Every structure is written in structure tokens, then in C-alpha cells.
Amino acid sequence: MQEELRELTRELRRAIPQVYAGYKQLHDGALAAGALDAKTKELIALAIAVSKECDGCIAAHAHAAVERGASEQEAAEAIGVTILMNGGPGTVYGARAFSAFREFDAKKNQ
């Protein structure tokens, strides 16, 4: 998914650079370690991505959660909360998110 969107995102970013600069500042501020560590924030973002049914968001936050040291079990449990709060669609997008997490985790451990 990330590869598929990469060039399209670059084109849009070139068209509206101020929007992307503002979004990056918000992104970095929201996901910076504070009272909650960055790993926990990425797991929250992953859970919300499942709830919003956003494949690009799932890929980005699954990758970031792996990079921040989240375990497979932590990802699974975060996704489980999404299923609780989102019902049936959570089971579909939750499985997609878990698969993405495992894919990034496997690449990291190679």
C-alpha cells in the first residue's frame, strides 16, 4: 500500500506544500513521547486506522509501531480493542492491520 501511494502523495504534496508542512508538524507533535510513549501512541493510531478503514494509515502506523518496538501481541491487543468498539468491520480491517504489522515485523527481523 505504501509503495502504491508514494508517487501520488508526492504529487499532492508538491501541489499543497503548506498543508503537508502543517500536517507534519501536527503528526510529529501528536506522536512524540510524552506521558504516553511513542510506541503506545503508534498502537493507538493503528487502532484508529483500523476503525477508519484506512489502508494507507494502517500501513504507516503498523510500520511505525514496529519501528517503535511494539510486539505482535501488543498490536493484536490494540486491534482487539478496535474490534470491540467497531464491530464487524473491525474484524476485516483488523486482520489487514495485523497482517501489515507482521509483514513489517518480519522485515525488521531479517
Side-chain angles (χ1 to χ4, degrees):
M1 182 58 59
Q2 287 180 316
E3 290 298 320
E4 183 179 321
L5 294 173
R6 186 162 283 135
E7 188 54 37
L8 296 172
T9 301
R10 283 184 187 137
E11 290 174 18
L12 183 57
R13 186 173 47 238
R14 283 192 286 268
I16 52 171
Q18 308 90 332
V19 172
Y20 273 83
Y23 181 77
K24 181 177 179 353
Q25 187 176 8
L26 175 61
H27 176 274
D28 293 349
L31 293 174
L36 294 175
D37 61 31
K39 176 182 77 172
T40 301
K41 289 181 176 186
E42 285 297 348
L43 290 169
I44 292 168
L46 178 61
I48 292 169
V50 169
S51 183
K52 299 300 278 182
E53 301 173 7
C54 176
D55 285 329
C57 303
I58 287 169
H61 293 293
H63 183 250
V66 166
E67 292 298 311
R68 306 276 181 303
S71 71
E72 186 174 301
Q73 189 60 37
E74 289 171 321
E77 290 183 19
I79 293 165
V81 174
T82 307
I83 292 169
L84 164 70
M85 299 303 292
N86 207 42
T91 65
V92 174
Y93 281 87
R96 293 166 80 116
F98 192 59
S99 176
F101 182 91
R102 293 176 86 186
E103 180 181 328
F104 288 119
D105 194 43
K107 285 180 183 177
K108 180 181 178 187
N109 292 321
Q110 288 180 348

